[in-house]
């Protein structure tokens, strides 16, 4: 049974928020509060940078492609209480249910640095031109983003010299040793140099993503490059919740219950990277959170008790392509962590960056 006339305000239209507005659109009056003009499929951004002509537009899914009844307000939230959301413009949206899904920020190019698709496309093209002319690339940060960036660059320009530095002593800490062994073997095959346990003494004087003479030292060893990228520094987008609805943890994340309510608030939920859920921050988790919250809100709208609970995976999950033909991955199974064969990494993510899945979910017709 569905019942309309209840308002659900969803703050943030990333992986979690977009899935949620789509799920609830025909069951409630959905108001999406999101400054961007399109859902951004961030997992595609590194290939959008290295192959902008073919890939950049495919990362953007305009909200009007899948929000049929609901309203989209291109605004930032600046405050939230049990009954509604205050917008940066000063206006207020009253709501029966509120879902907070404002996620995380990563330095460009991993996530865009504008709320406009047109500007984001121009940024990718501009940085692509800077990168194209650079023979030596320095990447600071050897997490999944830094590794994927290196792989995408090598797929287009195998001759470029790439160095990745990271203060951590090992790659993908917390994952199975066999995954690390495979990862090192592939990086070596691709000719990507990884220097672990190394901290840059200073940040390069050149802006990241701009061609220029990069000259830094790491533990007194000189490193030179013609361009560098920052691939570390994820921040939770929760500044608007300070002094607000519940105390944030030291990472700026919001505490949630197993039903994904913000602690102490039966009509306010949080999903995705914003939450303090003890798991790797992933788009796949955000989508699963959205399904749980959609079911709980529907139950409440229909006068029933919300019963769905979210169980985080005890196994670390990741798929890290190194371009379209290489990469590693780990998934949970009944017997614990399972390392994905390279063919599965390619099939599940590397080849099409999951655009097949997101086209089916969020596009009226696949991009030409
Ligand atoms: C390069 C890269 C590759 C990745 N690959 C994968 C992968 O293969 N698989 C995987 O599972 N995960 C992957 N991730 C992680 C994934 O992107 C995140 O876990 C995911 O974005 C979290 O989704 P979310 O809905 O919580 O928030 P986000 O996707 O971060 O969306 C948050 C939204 O909130 C909006 N917002 C922010 N502040 C406000 C405000 N005050 N008011 C209103 N709106 C606001 C933002 O504009 C944004 O649209 C990748 C990340 C990167 C950067």
């Amino acid at each position: 049974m569905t019942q309309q006339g209840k308002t659900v305000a969803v703050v943030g239209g990333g992986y979690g928020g977009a899935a949620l507005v789509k799920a609830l659109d025909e069951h409630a009056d959905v108001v999406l509060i999101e400054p961007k003009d399109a859902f951004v499929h961030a997992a595609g951004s590194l290939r959008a940078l290295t192959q902008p002509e073919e890939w950049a537009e495919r990362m953007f899914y305009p909200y009007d492609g899948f929000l049929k009844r609901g309203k989209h307000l291109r605004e930032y939230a600046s405050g939230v209480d049990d009954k509604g959301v205050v917008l940066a413009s000063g206006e207020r949206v009253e709501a029966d249910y509120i879902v907070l899904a404002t996620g995380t920020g990563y330095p460009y190019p991993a996530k865009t640095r504008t709320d406009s698709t047109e500007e984001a496309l121009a940024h990718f093209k501009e940085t692509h031109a800077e990168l194209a002319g650079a023979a030596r690339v320095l990447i600071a940060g050897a997490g999944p983003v830094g590794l994927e960036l290196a792989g995408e660059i090598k797929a287009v320009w195998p001759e470029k010299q790439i160095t990745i530095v990271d203060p951590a002593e090992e790659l993908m800490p917390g994952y199975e040793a066999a995954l690390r062994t495979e990862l090192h073997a592939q990086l070596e095959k691709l000719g990507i140099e990884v220097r672990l346990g190394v901290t840059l003494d200073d940040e390069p004087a050149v802006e990241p993503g701009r061609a220029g003479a990069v000259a830094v030292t790491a533990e007194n060893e000189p490193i030179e490059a013609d361009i560098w990228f920052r691939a570390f520094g994820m921040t939770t987008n929760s500044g608007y919740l300070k002094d607000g609805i519940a105390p944030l943890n030291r990472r700026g994340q919001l505490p949630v219950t197993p039903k994904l309510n913000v602690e102490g608030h039966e009509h306010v939920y949080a999903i995705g990277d914003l939450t303090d859920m003890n798991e790797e921050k992933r788009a796949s988790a955000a989508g699963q959170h959205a399904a749980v919250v959609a079911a709980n809100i529907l139950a409440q709208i229909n006068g029933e008790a919300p019963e769905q609970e979210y169980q985080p995976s005890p196994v670390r999950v990741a798929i890290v392509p190194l371009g379209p033909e290489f990469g590693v991955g780990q998934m949970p199974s009944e017997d614990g962590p399972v390392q994905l064969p390279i063919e599965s990494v390619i099939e599940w993510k590397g080849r099409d960056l999951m655009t097949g899945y997101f086209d089916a979910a969020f596009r009226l017709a696949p991009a030409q």
Side-chain angles (χ1 to χ4, degrees):
M1 182 175 113
T2 62
Q3 185 177 322
Q4 292 171 3
K6 294 285 185 193
T7 300
V8 182
V10 179
V11 185
Y15 289 95
L20 190 82
V21 298
K22 192 180 171 209
L24 290 182
D25 197 26
E26 59 180 275
H27 303 294
D29 296 330
V30 172
V31 181
L32 172 63
I33 299 159
E34 162 63 63
K36 293 187 173 24
D37 54 8
F39 159 65
V40 183
H41 175 35
S45 53
L46 305 171
R47 197 168 298 167
L49 167 69
T50 57
Q51 303 183 52
E53 294 299 333
E54 194 184 338
W55 285 93
E57 284 189 24
R58 297 172 69 176
M59 285 180 59
F60 298 90
Y61 295 79
Y63 291 110
D64 54 14
F66 56 97
L67 194 58
K68 303 287 178 223
R69 293 183 57 245
K71 231 195 311 185
H72 173 202
L73 303 178
R74 282 196 68 186
E75 292 249 23
Y76 281 90
S78 63
V80 176
D81 56 55
D82 279 291
K83 302 261 184 263
V85 180
V86 180
L87 307 179
S89 62
E91 279 184 40
R92 187 181 159 83
V93 175
E94 299 290 339
D96 300 290
Y97 303 94
I98 297 161
V99 185
L100 306 174
T102 45
T104 39
Y106 290 75
Y108 172 80
K111 285 197 175 172
T112 58
R113 55 184 154 96
T114 165
D115 293 326
S116 143
T117 299
E118 204 183 320
E119 279 178 16
L121 292 173
H123 291 165
F124 283 128
K125 280 199 182 135
E126 195 180 297
T127 313
H128 176 267
E130 303 268 328
L131 174 59
R136 298 165 303 172
V137 183
L138 171 64
I139 298 173
V145 170
L147 294 169
E148 282 195 43
L149 176 57
E152 294 296 345
I153 295 173
K154 275 286 179 186
V156 177
W157 297 282
E159 71 288 356
K160 283 196 199 301
Q161 179 191 314
I162 302 180
T163 305
I164 314 181
V165 294
D166 199 296
E169 294 294 337
E170 61 179 13
L171 292 176
M172 308 281 295
Y175 287 79
E176 296 294 286
L179 177 138
R180 275 192 290 283
T181 306
E182 172 67 17
L183 186 53
H184 277 287
Q186 291 188 20
L187 289 165
E188 200 177 322
K189 191 166 176 184
L190 288 166
I192 297 168
E193 186 197 8
V194 184
R195 293 169 65 171
L196 295 172
V198 163
T199 306
L200 294 183
D201 296 331
D202 277 308
E203 193 164 297
V206 190
E207 201 186 313
R210 288 265 170 227
V214 177
V216 279
T217 53
E219 324 278 326
N220 296 321
E221 291 273 324
I223 301 180
E224 291 188 353
D226 308 304
I227 195 166
W228 78 286
F229 292 97
R230 192 199 311 270
F232 64 89
M234 176 171 138
T235 48
T236 313
N237 294 326
S238 57
Y240 69 106
L241 295 169
K242 290 206 175 97
D243 333 308
I245 193 130
L248 303 174
N249 72 10
R250 66 187 171 80
R251 294 198 186 95
Q253 298 162 339
L254 202 52
V256 288
T257 67
K259 292 194 171 83
L260 297 172
N261 288 103
V262 175
E263 271 178 13
H265 302 271
E266 283 186 6
H267 285 205
V268 185
Y269 293 86
I271 59 176
D273 285 7
L274 174 66
T275 68
D276 71 347
M277 193 56 73
N278 184 16
E279 62 187 349
E280 297 283 278
K281 296 303 173 203
R282 294 282 177 258
S284 48
Q288 289 164 28
H289 297 179
V292 167
V293 169
N296 285 340
I297 291 180
L298 268 183
Q300 285 176 304
I301 288 177
N302 290 326
E304 295 156 15
E307 282 178 350
Q308 293 270 325
E309 296 199 343
Y310 176 76
Q311 296 287 348
S313 163
V315 170
R316 283 176 186 261
V317 174
I319 304 183
V320 183
L322 300 173
E325 286 174 28
F326 292 90
V328 295
Q330 179 175 299
M331 285 288 143
S333 81
E334 282 178 5
D335 306 319
V338 172
Q339 195 182 330
L340 288 180
I342 191 165
E343 296 76 27
S344 303
V345 174
I346 293 169
E347 191 186 323
W348 294 4
K349 182 170 171 189
R351 184 178 299 134
D352 82 338
L353 296 171
M354 300 176 289
T355 50
Y357 174 85
F358 287 104
D359 285 352
F362 295 139
R363 237 190 255 295
L364 287 176
Q368 294 306 301

